[in-house]
Amino acid sequence: MKKVTMADVAKLANVSKSTVSQYLNKRYEYMSEETRKRIARAIEELGYQPNIIARSLKQKTTATIGVIVFNILHMLTIQVLHAIEEACQERGFHVIVSNSDDDPEKEKKYIDMLLAKQVDGLIVFTTGKNEDVYQRLVEERFPLVFVDRMVPGVEADAILLDNKRAAALAVEYLASHGYERIGAVAPPLASHVVPRMERIEGFRQALTEKGLPVIADYFVTAEISSIQRELAKLFASGRPPEALFAINDLTLMKILHFVKNNGIHVPDDLALISIDDVPFADIYTPTLTTIAQPTFAMGKKAAERLFMQIVRKQKHKPQIFRFPPTLIERKSVRQRGNNNDGRR
Amino acid sequence: MKKVTMADVAKLANVSKSTVSQYLNKRYEYMSEETRKRIARAIEELGYQPNIIARSLKQKTTATIGVIVFNILHMLTIQVLHAIEEACQERGFHVIVSNSDDDPEKEKKYIDMLLAKQVDGLIVFTTGKNEDVYQRLVEERFPLVFVDRMVPGVEADAILLDNKRAAALAVEYLASHGYERIGAVAPPLASHVVPRMERIEGFRQALTEKGLPVIADYFVTAEISSIQRELAKLFASGRPPEALFAINDLTLMKILHFVKNNGIHVPDDLALISIDDVPFADIYTPTLTTIAQPTFAMGKKAAERLFMQIVRKQKHKPQIFRFPPTLIERKSVRQRGNNNDGRR
DNA sequence: TTGTATGCGTTATCAT
DNA sequence: ATGATAACGCATACAA
């Protein structure tokens, strides 16, 4: 099928392989117009296409990067991936995408496979584990960038949202609209899942800074599948929160399910604000006030940093980049002028 | 960095490269327990990892496939991609993802680059153009599978939704609920964008089969960005449709915007049904009746067919697989018992 | 300006 | 059971 090689072109053009090679690499400074044309014609005629694998073997570089994500279906993932892919195209790089499913074992396996495939660098939406593996990579100066999450002990570039700021934005906005009893909803906390920790911690801090009550019961942290149940408990017993802060789109979805199933009116019965700007934010009723991440910029930055490491393999100072969240004001939080907490 | 090679292992273990190679490929039938252990230890000690590029050069196979998509942000894309990625992982394959942005030029370029990189096969969500390029691929028996769309003249495997059936499902459901004046909304029609054509054609056919009026004005085909404007015209002049069929999620979004901005009540003023099961379908008010595509099954099938072509490179009969749509009944279409068309 | 020779890290063939 | 050697397709130093 694809059997035509450089040797074939050389033969047809009556030159040597080296000359063809030079031609391909645009080193035609010392090449006669004549031979250049002959080679061009030979290539054309044979439909020759260079074998990049062979080139890679020689040059020890593949113009390919690996991206490992913990959840390929997540909106953030896909948007960042989009930016990464675009940046790579501009540089003539390819990207191999692997989905770890948030399983550290899989993650480790894919890192190994990708390395074996000689990728020039790795961008990873990490599970947060595998510290040893990453440690080895940074020691070897292998180009590596974390996105969205990171591994605490590892000194590598990381592209993160300014999570504390995002949480603070939410609290401040709610506070300025007269809300006091505010709850937060998140998946289970785990020290290796950095954004979750930072958002909840940021939330707690902002609350105290604003002089608002920190109510233990109002911190709903549960598996996504149990969130509705937990919310039901919360709203059944005692005084429910006036507002809820969803730390990401998945938890928001669950809250939205919950309010729909229970006839809770947003924002009159319950105000809502969340991180991640969901696509339906402005067609939902009410439209959803959200805190957006600059996903495209983050992906672009991740690619940039990786390329930086790839081109100059010397030591570089690993940095953590915190991207600013943006509050998008819509209608799921209203101004609570007078302290009415009745329905409708 | 990653400099330890098979030769190093061989030296340390006091054997030849060939023996190490055999060990790696698990051909230890004729290998003494003794040497096997020595090799294992040497590998361990040196942290040796085989260079897959070198292997690929020799074996002429990369265990890598290319996937070219016309819109990486599209929900369908991402779900199908997920399935493809999973299937590939099971087989130890990697997938390189490229985004053509629905630009045939880009598409062509990526095909060439991917071929140069010696991918073992291509799954493409095609722009519908580049017939010549694809023609050449099938002539060369290069493993190729189209997904979602296809290129009319090209005899290759294609994984498609049964688009006509999907449109018919919509019409039948609407008809059975008492709707008669039904419109459809789609991006501009183009003969090379197969699903669009098939859905609209299927819609028209189903209408006539059901004895319902086919009203030219009710076919809204416009750029996504102009759809709202076109809908406004339609609803301003004359008698608006009682129900609308959105041929995909993007058009649905625009319709949803439109009804929100114009205070049109769904389903009382206007019933809605669409292809693609959007994630917010059952938190929207009313919940959205949709026609879902079996995205995961489609992705899996695409990978399967590609693998089939990859393993036995002999001729195979190209097939078009049409996957059955599923109507998910929710609340955006109501039973129109009595012919009231008033509001609320 | 172009050609020769060698190496990249494997696998495969054929000896031994 | 294990080893020597020749590919794989290209790039590059050096020669001519």
Side-chain angles (χ1 to χ4, degrees):
Chain A
M1 181 170 56
K2 182 128 292 89
K3 35 186 29 138
V4 32
T5 162
M6 216 171 71
D8 301 322
V9 177
K11 187 139 45 105
L12 209 169
N14 261 320
V15 294
S16 77
K17 289 192 299 176
S18 4
T19 311
V20 177
S21 176
Q22 308 217 98
Y23 172 88
L24 290 175
N25 294 302
K26 318 226 179 280
R27 311 266 335 141
Y28 12 60
E29 310 172 352
Y30 304 107
M31 200 178 308
S32 74
E33 180 70 12
E34 158 75 18
T35 54
R36 191 185 327 181
K37 286 222 173 105
R38 277 217 311 284
I39 294 176
R41 208 157 46 74
I43 288 179
E44 176 70 18
E45 203 161 308
L46 296 169
Y48 166 75
Q49 283 198 299
N51 180 330
I52 294 203
I53 292 293
R55 172 183 306 174
S56 293
L57 180 58
K58 182 70 181 169
Q59 298 189 155
K60 298 151 136 3
T61 139
T62 52
T64 302
I65 69 167
V67 178
I68 304 177
V69 305
F70 64 80
N71 184 354
I72 198 176
L73 296 175
H74 197 300
M75 243 336 187
L76 173 80
T77 303
I78 217 57
Q79 290 173 352
V80 174
L81 208 49
H82 178 214
I84 292 174
E85 205 273 340
E86 192 168 304
C88 283
Q89 291 200 340
E90 283 167 12
R91 299 262 197 155
F93 272 65
H94 276 140
V95 10
I96 295 182
V97 180
S98 298
N99 187 181
S100 73
D101 234 345
D102 223 345
D103 172 352
E105 286 306 311
K106 271 198 185 181
E107 180 177 276
K108 179 172 160 46
K109 189 177 131 208
Y110 299 146
I111 292 174
D112 285 343
M113 293 179 62
L114 258 7
L115 289 181
K117 235 161 204 170
Q118 313 295 113
V119 294
D120 293 339
L122 237 31
I123 293 179
V124 13
F125 296 59
T126 181
T127 60
K129 300 294 192 79
N130 288 319
E131 182 178 343
D132 52 338
V133 178
Y134 291 117
Q135 212 60 269
R136 205 166 54 77
L137 288 182
V138 322
E139 272 166 24
E140 286 177 355
R141 300 234 149 72
F142 186 84
L144 170 68
V145 176
F146 289 124
V147 177
D148 186 41
R149 313 216 287 219
M150 57 174 291
V151 182
V154 179
E155 297 248 327
D157 277 350
I159 311 294
L160 308 179
L161 180 69
D162 186 341
N163 290 299
K164 288 199 169 183
R165 183 80 202 98
L169 266 181
V171 171
E172 287 163 12
Y173 185 79
L174 253 12
S176 77
H177 283 66
Y179 290 88
E180 293 181 351
R181 303 176 62 86
I182 308 173
V185 185
L189 300 185
S191 65
H192 63 280
V193 185
V194 171
R196 232 119 88 178
M197 301 300 283
E198 291 181 345
R199 287 172 195 182
I200 286 297
E201 182 50 26
F203 174 72
R204 188 191 311 272
Q205 268 184 31
L207 239 34
T208 62
E209 271 166 26
K210 283 285 162 192
L212 298 178
V214 178
I215 304 164
D217 285 351
Y218 285 5
F219 285 73
V220 177
T221 60
E223 290 298 344
I224 293 292
S225 56
S226 321
I227 284 182
Q228 283 204 61
R229 198 160 46 239
E230 293 301 319
L231 285 173
K233 277 191 215 160
L234 177 57
F235 279 73
S237 69
R239 189 130 81 107
E242 301 157 352
L244 240 31
F245 165 52
I247 76 151
N248 66 25
D249 53 354
L250 294 188
T251 58
L252 173 67
M253 293 292 282
K254 288 307 174 180
I255 297 175
L256 259 17
H257 263 111
F258 175 74
V259 300
K260 180 165 185 73
N261 293 341
N262 293 273
I264 295 173
H265 190 275
V266 177
D268 295 331
D269 298 340
L270 179 70
L272 245 37
I273 191 167
S274 65
I275 295 182
D276 286 339
D277 191 39
V278 292
F280 57 93
D282 45 31
I283 54 177
Y284 190 80
T285 303
T287 55
L288 269 9
T289 295
T290 61
I291 294 169
Q293 308 194 39
T295 54
F296 200 82
M298 290 166 72
K300 198 149 177 263
K301 186 70 170 185
E304 261 171 29
R305 289 297 294 185
L306 194 70
F307 287 135
M308 220 209 58
Q309 296 181 39
I310 290 175
V311 301
R312 35 189 179 97
K313 312 271 297 190
Q314 324 111 345
K315 76 194 85 184
H316 77 293
K317 193 165 48 2
Q319 291 180 46
I320 297 182
F321 297 87
R322 301 223 166 246
F323 278 67
T326 312
L327 190 139
I328 302 179
E329 184 170 23
R330 283 186 280 240
K331 306 287 189 189
S332 59
V333 176
R334 71 149 167 46
Q335 183 62 50
R336 268 168 69 96
N338 35 12
N339 234 19
N340 67 329
D341 61 355
R343 351 182 80 250
R344 200 111 346 158
Chain B
M1 181 172 56
K2 182 126 293 86
K3 35 184 30 136
V4 32
T5 162
M6 217 169 70
D8 301 322
V9 176
K11 187 140 44 107
L12 206 170
N14 261 318
V15 294
S16 76
K17 289 191 301 175
S18 344
T19 311
V20 177
S21 176
Q22 305 218 99
Y23 172 86
L24 290 174
N25 294 299
K26 318 223 178 282
R27 309 276 329 146
Y28 13 58
E29 308 171 352
Y30 303 107
M31 201 178 308
S32 74
E33 180 71 13
E34 158 74 18
T35 54
R36 193 187 322 182
K37 285 214 176 114
R38 276 216 314 284
I39 295 176
R41 210 157 45 74
I43 288 178
E44 176 70 19
E45 203 161 308
L46 297 169
Y48 166 74
Q49 281 198 301
N51 180 329
I52 294 203
I53 292 292
R55 172 184 304 174
S56 292
L57 178 58
K58 184 65 180 174
Q59 297 188 157
K60 300 156 131 9
T61 139
T62 52
T64 302
I65 69 166
V67 178
I68 303 176
V69 305
F70 64 81
N71 183 354
I72 198 177
L73 295 175
H74 197 300
M75 242 340 186
L76 174 81
T77 303
I78 216 57
Q79 290 173 353
V80 174
L81 208 48
H82 179 213
I84 292 174
E85 205 273 339
E86 191 167 306
C88 284
Q89 292 200 340
E90 283 167 13
R91 299 262 197 155
F93 272 64
H94 277 140
V95 9
I96 295 181
V97 181
S98 299
N99 187 181
S100 74
D101 236 344
D102 223 342
D103 173 353
E105 285 306 311
K106 272 198 186 180
E107 179 176 277
K108 179 171 161 46
K109 189 177 130 209
Y110 300 145
I111 292 174
D112 285 343
M113 293 180 61
L114 258 6
L115 290 181
K117 236 162 202 166
Q118 313 295 115
V119 295
D120 294 339
L122 240 28
I123 294 179
V124 14
F125 297 59
T126 181
T127 60
K129 300 293 193 78
N130 288 320
E131 182 176 345
D132 52 340
V133 178
Y134 291 116
Q135 212 61 269
R136 203 166 54 80
L137 288 182
V138 322
E139 272 166 24
E140 286 176 354
R141 300 234 149 71
F142 186 84
L144 170 67
V145 176
F146 288 125
V147 177
D148 185 43
R149 314 217 289 218
M150 57 174 292
V151 182
V154 179
E155 296 247 327
D157 277 351
I159 312 294
L160 307 180
L161 180 70
D162 187 341
N163 290 300
K164 287 199 169 183
R165 183 79 202 99
L169 266 180
V171 171
E172 287 163 13
Y173 185 77
L174 254 10
S176 76
H177 282 66
Y179 291 88
E180 292 181 351
R181 304 174 63 85
I182 308 174
V185 184
L189 300 185
S191 66
H192 63 281
V193 184
V194 171
R196 273 202 305 250
M197 301 300 283
E198 291 182 345
R199 289 172 193 182
I200 287 296
E201 181 51 26
F203 174 73
R204 187 190 314 269
Q205 267 184 31
L207 241 33
T208 61
E209 271 167 26
K210 284 286 162 190
L212 299 178
V214 177
I215 304 164
D217 286 350
Y218 286 5
F219 285 73
V220 177
T221 59
E223 292 298 344
I224 293 292
S225 57
S226 321
I227 284 182
Q228 283 204 61
R229 196 160 47 239
E230 292 301 318
L231 285 173
K233 278 192 215 159
L234 177 56
F235 278 74
S237 71
R239 188 131 80 108
E242 303 157 350
L244 240 31
F245 166 54
I247 76 151
N248 66 24
D249 53 354
L250 294 188
T251 58
L252 172 67
M253 293 293 282
K254 288 306 174 183
I255 297 175
L256 258 18
H257 263 112
F258 175 75
V259 298
K260 181 166 186 71
N261 293 340
N262 294 272
I264 295 173
H265 190 273
V266 177
D268 295 332
D269 298 340
L270 179 70
L272 245 38
I273 191 168
S274 65
I275 294 181
D276 287 337
D277 191 39
V278 292
F280 57 93
D282 43 32
I283 56 178
Y284 190 81
T285 303
T287 55
L288 268 10
T289 295
T290 61
I291 294 168
Q293 308 195 37
T295 54
F296 200 82
M298 289 166 73
K300 197 147 177 264
K301 187 69 169 186
E304 261 171 29
R305 289 298 292 185
L306 194 69
F307 287 135
M308 220 207 58
Q309 295 181 40
I310 290 175
V311 302
R312 34 188 181 97
K313 313 271 299 187
Q314 324 109 348
K315 78 192 84 184
H316 77 291
K317 193 166 44 10
Q319 290 180 45
I320 297 182
F321 297 88
R322 299 225 165 243
F323 279 65
T326 312
L327 190 139
I328 302 180
E329 184 170 23
R330 284 186 281 242
K331 307 287 190 189
S332 60
V333 177
R334 71 150 168 43
Q335 183 62 49
R336 269 169 67 98
N338 36 13
N339 234 18
N340 66 328
D341 63 352
R343 351 183 81 250
R344 198 114 346 162

